[in-house]
Amino acid sequence: MSSLFAALNTVASSMDVLQQAMGVVQNNVANASTPGYATQSLNIEARLFNPGSNLWGGIASAGLNDSRNVSAEEAVWNQNELLGTATQSATSLSALQSIFNVTGTSGIPGALSTLSAALSAWSSNPNDGPSRQQVLNAAQGLAQAFNTTSSTVGQLSTQTDQELQSTVTQINALSSQIAQINAGIRQGDQNDPGLQAQLYNDLEQLSNLTSITAQTESDGTLTVTMAGQTPLVAGTTITNLAVQFAPSSDATNPDAPPDAHIITATGQDVTSTVSNGQIAALLHFRNVTLPSLTGDGAQQGSLNQLAQSIADQVNTLLTSGQTSSGAAGVPLFTYNSGSPTSIARSLALNPAITGSQLAAVDPGPPAVANGVADQLTQLFSTQVSGLGNMTFTDFYSSLTAAIGNQESNASATQQTQNQLLSQAQSARSQLEGVSLNDQAALLLQFQQNYEAASQMISVINTTTQYLMTVMEQL
Amino acid sequence: MISGIDAYNPGFLANLNNIENRLAKENNEVSSGIRVNEPSDDPGAIASILDTQSQIDQVTQVQKNLNLANVTAQTADGAIQNAGSLLDQLVSIAAQGASGTTNAATESALALQVKNIQQELVSVANTSINGQYIFGGDRPGVAPYTLDTNAPAGVVPAPTELSLSGNLQSGGPSYSQNVSVTDSLGQSHTLTLTLAPTPPNTWAYQITIPASQIALVAATSYTTAGSATLTVADATGIAAGQTVSGTGIPAGTTVASISGNQITLSNNASATGIAPLAFGTPAADPTLASGTLTFNADGTLSASTSNPVAINISNLADGAENMTVNWSLFDASGNGLITQLAQPSSLTAQTSGASNTAILRDASGNSIVPGILASQIFDSQDGVAGSGVFSQVHALWQALQSGDHSFIQTAALNLKSAVTQVNEAGTNYGDLENWISQANQDASRRQTDLQTNLGTLRDADIPTVATQLTMDETALNAAISAHATLSNKTLFDYIG
C-alpha cells in the first residue's frame, strides 16, 4: 500500500515538472518575436529509482537551459558595426554629392561656362555695353554659385554636428539601460530570459552606433567597451560621452571651422579610437570629407582653392590690361583674403567695378585691343599650375568625382553589409531563435506525458480504492 | 526572434531592397534619358562629361561670335561695293569734266555732284552697326571721318588719341604732383610727377615731345600766288625755320614767323597751289606745356597754371606709338636746365585710333584680325601726300571748281588709283567672309562631334536600361510571389 502512495507522489511531482516544461514552451512562444530573446528549455532529469530502497524514480527539473550563443551575437555585432558605418557614410555622402552638379548646366560648372561664354562674347565686341554687363552678371553668378555651394556644405556640416550629438545621446541612453540591467542581474535575476533579451537587444542597437566588445563578469554583469578601449558600462557605472568642437592644433588656418571630438566624462579625447559604427562615419564625414572641400586648420579646402584660383587668375589678367580709354584695369572679383578657408563663401563681384572699367586692351607690345578679353576666354581651357595643372572645370570634376567615388563605395559596402548582417542574424537565429514547430512538438510531447501521468494517477487511484474495498470486506 | 518560419527573412528583405534600389535608378535613367545624374553614377566619367559640355558651350559661343563678325563683314563688303559704285560715278563725272566740252556752269554742277558723292563716301567710311563704326578699328565709337571741304582732303580724319602711362620718380623724400594731360579727343590722362627738392623752391617745368613725332601735314589752305601768308588748322609744334614744301611753294621756303594759326613763309608763293603742304622736321623739340611748380614750406605743391596742369596735344604723326614725352625742370630764375628727372626720365605715350588689333578666334583657337580701317580704304597707302581716295576726290572737286582743264585731267587720271584702292579693300572682306564661313563649318563639325561624344558619355542606353528595368521588375514580382507562396503554418495550426 505504501508503495502505491509513493508511486502516486512520484507521478504527481512528475506532472509538476511537466507543467513547468509546458510553461517554458508557453514563454518561448509568447516571446517568439521579442527582439533579443533566446529560446529557453527546461532541463529535466530522471530521479533515482530503486523500489527496494523505496526510491520510486520519476523526473525532476534541473533549471532552465539558455540557447544564447555569444559567438553568434558577436558576429552580428561585428557586421552591424560595419553596416552602421556604411549606411551613415552613404547617407551623408548622398546628401553631399547632390550639391555638385555633373551635367555642366547649373551650379559651379554651369556658372563657369556662362562666364567663359560672356568673356568670349565680350572679346568679340569689347566696347559693347551689353556684352560688358553680361560679363559682370556672369561673374556675379559664378560668385553666387560658390557662395551657395559653400553655404550648403556648411549646412551639411551643421546637420552632421546635430547627428553626432544625437548619436552620442543614443549611445549614452543605451549605456544607461545596460547599466540598469546589470543592476537587475546583481539582484539575482541573472538567468531571467526577459532581462537577457533586453540586454542583448540594447547591445545590438549599440553595435550599429559604435564598435563594441562585451565581457561577462563573475557576478553575471556585462562590461561593455567602445572599440575595446573606452569603457562604456562597467557593472552599474557608465561613462557618458560628449561631442566637443575644438580648433585644429595646426595653426595654418586659425579661423577655420573647428573639428568635432568625442570626449569622455573625464575629459579624455577618444576620437581617434572610434573606428566603426554610425558615429565613426559621422566623425569621418565631419572631420575629413567636408574639410577637404571647405578647409580646416591644416588645409584650405578644394572649393576655396578653386574659388581663389579663378578670382586671382581673372583679376591678374584684368589688372594687367587697360580700358579703351587708357585707364588701368580693375579686379573683377573680391574675396576675404585674410581667411583662406572662407574664400568660396566670401567670393563676390567687385562692388566698385562698372562695365566700362573692364579692361579688354592688352597694352603689349604689341597692343591688342581685345587681348586681355581673349586671354580671359582662353583661361578657361588653360591648365593652372596652382590647381595641379588642371583646368578650372577639370579641378571641379576631380573633387566631384572623389565625392562620387566615396558615395559609390559606401553604397556598395552598405549593400554587402546588409547581406552579411542578415547572414549573421540568420546564423544566430538558427541557434537562438524560437522555432514554433519545435515548441509545438515539445508541447505535444509534454502534453502526452502529462496525460499519461494523469492516467497513471487514475489507475493508482482505482487500484487503491479496490484495495481499500478488499480490506474493508476482510 | 522567430526561427523556423522563415530563417532567411532578413536576407530576403535585403535582396528586395537591392532590387528596389536598382529599379529606382533605372526608372530615373529611363525618364531623364541621362545615365549620369549624380557623381556616384559614374565618377570616372564626370571629368569627360563636364569637359565636353564646357567645350560645347565654348564652341557655341564661338559660333555666335563668328555670326556677329559675319554680319559686320557682309555689311562692310556691301559698303565697299557701294564706295566702288560711287567712285565709278566719279570717274564718269571726271571724264565728262576732262572732255573739254564743258563750260563753267556745267563744271560747277559737276563739282556739286562730286561734293555730294564725297559726302556719301564719308557716310560709307562711317558705316556703323548699333553705333559701332565698322571701319573704326580699335575705336569703333569714333567716326573715322568728318566732312570738311576746307580740310586738305575734304575730310578730317578722327583725331589721334593719346594715352600716357608711367610714373616719374626720384628716390628719397618726395613730393607728388598729378599732372593731367588732355589729348585731342578731350580725354584726360593723369601723370604722377614725383620730385625730391628742398622746399621752399620753385622749379620751372617744360614738357616736350620729340620733333620727329610731330605731323608733317598740317596746312588747311592752299597758297595764293604772290602771297607769303597761309593759315593752318593747328600750329602746335610748327616752329620758325621749318622747311615748307607743296604746290606753288618755291624750293627752300621756310617758316618765317608764326602768329596763332597764321604762318608767314620766307618766300611768296610762286603759284596758286592745292593743299596739303608739308612741313619739315622742326629744328627743336616743340614745347607742349610749360610753367612753374612751387614746392611750398608746408610740403604742398602749386603750379603756375592750373593744378593739375592741363596740356593739349595734337598734331601727332599718324601711327606714332610709344611716343616719348620728355619732362625737364629748370631753376626758378630760368638759368637753364639744372636738372632732369631721375629715372625714368620719360613717360610712354601710346596713340590709338590708327590701329586695328582686335582678334577673332575660330573654334580651333586660330585667330585673325578681322576687317580693315577706314584709313586703309580711303587714305594714302604709299605715304605720298594727296594720293588717298578722299584726296583724289577732293582734288577733282577743286579742279572742277577752278575750271582748269589740266587740273581736271590730272584729277581724272589719278582717280583710277582710288578705284583700285577701294577694290583691293573689297577683296580683303571677301577673304574675311571666306575665313568666317570655313570657321563656321569647322565649328559645326566640332559641335556635332562633341554632342555625339557627350551623348555616349552621359546619355542612357534606353533599350538596355528598359530591358534591365523589365527584368528587375520581373525579379521583384517573382521574389514577392515566391515568398507569398511559402507556408505560414506551423505545427500549432494542427494541434487541437
Side-chain angles (χ1 to χ4, degrees):
Chain A
M1 191 71 179
S2 64
S3 61
L4 277 177
F5 286 120
L8 193 61
N9 188 41
T10 299
V11 171
S13 68
S14 296
M15 289 177 71
D16 194 35
V17 171
L18 288 169
Q19 264 186 356
Q20 287 180 40
M22 284 191 281
V24 171
V25 169
Q26 170 276 127
N27 190 48
N28 284 339
V29 171
N31 284 290
S33 300
T34 304
Y37 185 81
T39 305
Q40 306 292 308
S41 57
L42 188 68
N43 287 323
I44 298 173
E45 55 186 23
R47 298 172 68 177
L48 292 175
F49 179 71
N50 187 351
S53 302
N54 205 29
L55 293 171
W56 294 97
I59 55 173
S61 165
L64 285 173
N65 179 38
D66 191 350
S67 66
R68 177 83 54 199
N69 185 300
V70 175
S71 297
E73 294 286 356
E74 286 175 346
V76 169
W77 300 341
N78 289 338
Q79 300 305 333
N80 205 19
E81 288 166 12
L82 296 172
L83 177 64
T85 310
T87 303
Q88 184 58 55
S89 292
T91 304
S92 298
L93 287 162
S94 179
L96 179 61
Q97 75 167 359
S98 67
I99 300 170
F100 292 89
N101 174 278
V102 291
T103 62
T105 53
S106 63
I108 291 175
L112 275 172
S113 275
T114 303
L115 179 57
S116 172
L119 288 167
S120 178
W122 174 50
S123 170
S124 78
N125 205 357
N127 294 295
D128 181 46
S131 296
R132 291 168 169 164
Q133 190 56 45
Q134 279 299 320
V135 171
L136 299 187
N137 293 345
Q140 188 162 34
L142 180 63
Q144 284 172 349
F146 271 105
N147 299 160
T148 304
T149 305
S150 176
S151 169
T152 313
V153 172
Q155 287 167 11
L156 259 185
S157 182
T158 305
Q159 187 184 324
T160 307
D161 291 347
Q162 292 165 353
E163 287 172 352
L164 260 176
Q165 194 64 58
S166 165
T167 304
V168 163
T169 303
Q170 288 178 59
I171 291 173
N172 290 341
L174 287 168
S175 296
S176 178
Q177 287 178 34
I178 292 168
Q180 285 176 17
I181 295 168
N182 276 345
I185 289 171
R186 276 188 180 162
Q187 288 167 7
D189 296 333
Q190 182 174 352
N191 296 321
D192 185 319
L195 270 183
Q196 292 290 327
Q198 288 174 29
L199 178 62
Y200 279 89
N201 183 43
D202 287 348
L203 287 169
E204 187 168 340
Q205 287 184 47
L206 192 57
S207 70
N208 190 255
L209 303 178
T210 184
S211 57
I212 58 165
T213 53
Q215 174 76 38
T216 306
E217 304 298 337
S218 56
D219 61 356
T221 61
L222 227 57
T223 297
V224 183
T225 54
M226 182 171 72
Q229 298 182 50
T230 308
L232 294 176
V233 185
T236 56
T237 306
I238 64 169
T239 303
N240 271 328
L241 301 178
V243 185
Q244 276 188 5
F245 300 97
S248 166
S249 56
D250 192 320
T252 308
N253 301 314
D255 60 341
D259 288 342
H261 295 263
I262 303 298
I263 309 290
T264 66
T266 57
Q268 186 189 356
D269 189 341
V270 296
T271 312
S272 61
T273 67
V274 178
S275 57
N276 278 322
Q278 186 177 313
I279 192 171
L282 285 168
L283 277 174
H284 187 270
F285 187 69
R286 173 63 175 74
N287 292 343
V288 178
T289 307
L290 294 180
S292 73
L293 296 168
T294 51
D296 59 15
Q299 60 184 329
Q300 184 182 14
S302 49
L303 266 182
N304 295 313
Q305 198 183 349
L306 179 60
Q308 183 174 9
S309 182
I310 293 170
D312 287 352
Q313 301 278 336
V314 171
N315 288 348
T316 300
L317 275 172
L318 277 175
T319 51
S320 74
Q322 291 178 352
T323 65
S324 56
S325 62
V330 296
L332 183 61
F333 291 108
T334 61
Y335 59 78
N336 180 4
S337 57
S339 178
T341 54
S342 64
I343 288 171
R345 189 169 297 201
S346 64
L347 188 70
L349 173 70
N350 180 0
I353 198 172
T354 60
S356 60
Q357 288 177 301
L358 282 171
V361 182
D362 177 358
V368 179
N370 65 348
V372 168
D374 181 60
Q375 289 169 47
L376 282 167
T377 305
Q378 305 300 313
L379 177 64
F380 285 76
S381 49
T382 303
Q383 295 175 336
V384 181
S385 60
L387 298 176
N389 287 326
M390 286 189 269
T391 65
F392 297 145
T393 301
D394 285 348
F395 189 82
Y396 172 86
S397 299
S398 74
L399 70 91
T400 304
I403 296 165
N405 261 324
Q406 289 179 50
E407 204 284 335
S408 178
N409 290 339
S411 290
T413 308
Q414 185 190 7
Q415 281 194 9
T416 307
Q417 278 310 129
N418 257 327
Q419 297 285 355
L420 292 174
L421 176 64
S422 67
Q423 286 172 19
Q425 286 172 331
S426 294
R428 181 182 63 180
S429 190
Q430 291 298 310
L431 295 169
E432 302 177 356
V434 176
S435 166
L436 292 178
N437 288 337
D438 289 352
Q439 297 303 312
L442 284 171
L443 189 62
L444 283 173
Q445 181 187 334
F446 294 141
Q447 184 186 8
Q448 286 171 353
N449 289 354
Y450 194 87
E451 282 174 359
S454 63
Q455 195 62 36
M456 197 68 191
I457 287 176
S458 175
V459 170
I460 292 171
N461 182 40
T462 306
T463 306
T464 306
Q465 282 184 356
Y466 176 74
L467 284 174
M468 292 291 287
T469 306
V470 170
M471 286 177 70
E472 281 175 2
Q473 290 173 352
L474 287 177
Chain B
M1 288 177 281
I2 298 176
S3 164
I5 294 177
D6 180 6
Y8 300 97
N9 199 38
F12 173 73
L13 292 176
N15 284 327
L16 278 191
N17 192 38
N18 288 347
I19 296 174
E20 282 169 351
N21 285 341
R22 283 210 305 273
L23 279 172
K25 191 169 180 300
E26 286 153 6
N27 264 319
N28 193 20
E29 283 188 31
V30 170
S31 59
S32 69
I34 292 175
R35 181 179 66 88
V36 185
N37 286 295
E38 48 189 8
S40 61
D41 287 340
D42 189 352
I46 291 173
S48 301
I49 290 171
L50 291 180
D51 189 48
T52 307
Q53 181 63 55
S54 170
Q55 287 185 54
I56 288 171
D57 293 342
Q58 286 170 14
V59 172
T60 303
Q61 186 57 48
V62 164
Q63 287 175 308
K64 288 179 185 173
N65 294 350
L66 289 170
N67 290 337
L68 189 66
N70 201 36
V71 169
T72 305
Q74 287 176 342
T75 307
D77 202 7
I80 289 173
Q81 285 180 24
N82 188 18
S85 301
L86 291 169
L87 286 172
D88 287 344
Q89 291 178 39
L90 285 172
V91 168
S92 173
I93 291 169
Q96 194 180 342
S99 65
T101 60
T102 52
N103 56 28
T106 311
E107 284 159 7
S108 181
L110 290 174
L112 185 62
Q113 284 185 47
V114 171
K115 194 174 180 183
N116 288 338
I117 289 175
Q118 189 170 32
Q119 191 167 3
E120 286 187 53
L121 281 172
V122 170
S123 297
V124 167
N126 291 345
T127 303
S128 66
I129 299 174
N130 297 327
Q132 306 267 301
Y133 295 97
I134 61 176
F135 300 119
D138 293 342
R139 284 193 307 164
V142 180
Y145 291 101
T146 307
L147 190 70
D148 183 351
T149 47
N150 292 324
V155 295
V156 176
T160 305
E161 182 181 357
L162 174 71
S163 61
L164 296 165
S165 60
N167 291 334
L168 293 173
Q169 293 180 335
S170 67
S174 63
Y175 296 87
S176 292
Q177 167 72 0
N178 287 334
V179 180
S180 168
V181 176
T182 305
D183 66 24
S184 53
L185 286 180
Q187 291 181 320
S188 177
H189 307 279
T190 301
L191 310 182
T192 302
L193 175 64
T194 307
L195 301 169
T198 305
N201 205 343
T202 298
W203 302 66
Y205 71 85
Q206 184 176 345
I207 303 172
T208 61
I209 59 174
S212 60
Q213 294 173 159
I214 295 298
L216 299 179
V217 180
T220 59
S221 66
Y222 55 98
T223 59
T224 305
S227 171
T229 305
L230 53 84
T231 304
V232 293
D234 187 348
T236 306
I238 300 175
Q242 267 181 280
T243 59
V244 186
S245 61
T247 309
I249 306 291
T253 300
T254 59
V255 174
S257 62
I258 305 166
S259 175
N261 287 339
Q262 194 173 65
I263 294 174
T264 303
L265 304 175
S266 61
N267 298 315
N268 288 339
S270 60
T272 299
I274 303 171
L277 303 179
F279 289 85
T281 303
D285 290 349
T287 299
L288 296 177
S290 62
T292 58
L293 297 176
T294 301
F295 295 89
N296 305 313
D298 62 1
T300 59
L301 188 69
S302 54
S304 61
T305 54
S306 58
N307 185 6
V309 182
I311 306 161
N312 286 312
I313 301 175
S314 59
N315 276 355
L316 294 176
D318 281 348
E321 296 185 353
N322 298 320
M323 190 183 77
T324 300
V325 177
N326 295 318
W327 292 69
S328 304
L329 283 184
F330 298 81
D331 68 6
S333 56
N335 287 331
L337 185 68
I338 58 167
T339 185
Q340 279 191 307
L341 295 178
Q343 295 297 325
S345 61
S346 65
L347 296 174
T348 299
Q350 195 173 60
T351 57
S352 61
S355 60
N356 182 40
T357 59
I359 58 174
L360 173 69
R361 282 194 192 277
D362 67 11
S364 303
N366 302 314
S367 66
I368 189 174
V369 175
I372 51 178
L373 290 166
S375 61
Q376 291 173 279
I377 307 170
F378 297 102
D379 276 0
S380 164
Q381 298 301 297
D382 51 12
V384 176
S387 70
V389 173
F390 283 129
S391 293
Q392 306 287 9
V393 175
H394 191 60
L396 176 62
W397 175 72
Q398 284 180 319
L400 284 167
Q401 275 208 321
S402 70
D404 187 326
H405 278 232
S406 66
F407 277 172
I408 296 173
Q409 284 169 356
T410 305
L413 196 64
N414 290 341
L415 205 54
K416 290 179 181 170
S417 66
V419 173
T420 306
Q421 186 174 335
V422 169
N423 286 340
E424 284 173 356
T427 308
N428 181 297
Y429 275 98
D431 292 345
L432 175 61
E433 285 175 75
N434 285 340
W435 188 90
I436 291 173
S437 171
Q438 188 63 41
N440 249 329
Q441 288 175 22
D442 175 53
S444 294
R445 269 196 303 274
R446 286 176 67 88
Q447 181 79 275
T448 305
D449 291 347
L450 287 165
Q451 292 285 6
T452 306
N453 193 24
L454 182 65
T456 308
L457 289 164
R458 191 189 63 186
D459 292 351
D461 180 356
I462 298 295
T464 305
V465 179
T467 307
Q468 192 62 46
L469 180 68
T470 308
M471 284 170 62
D472 282 334
E473 278 176 345
T474 307
L476 184 68
N477 291 334
I480 292 171
S481 300
H483 194 257
T485 57
L486 289 176
S487 172
N488 288 329
K489 291 187 175 180
T490 69
L491 281 179
F492 280 104
D493 295 301
Y494 302 99
I495 295 176

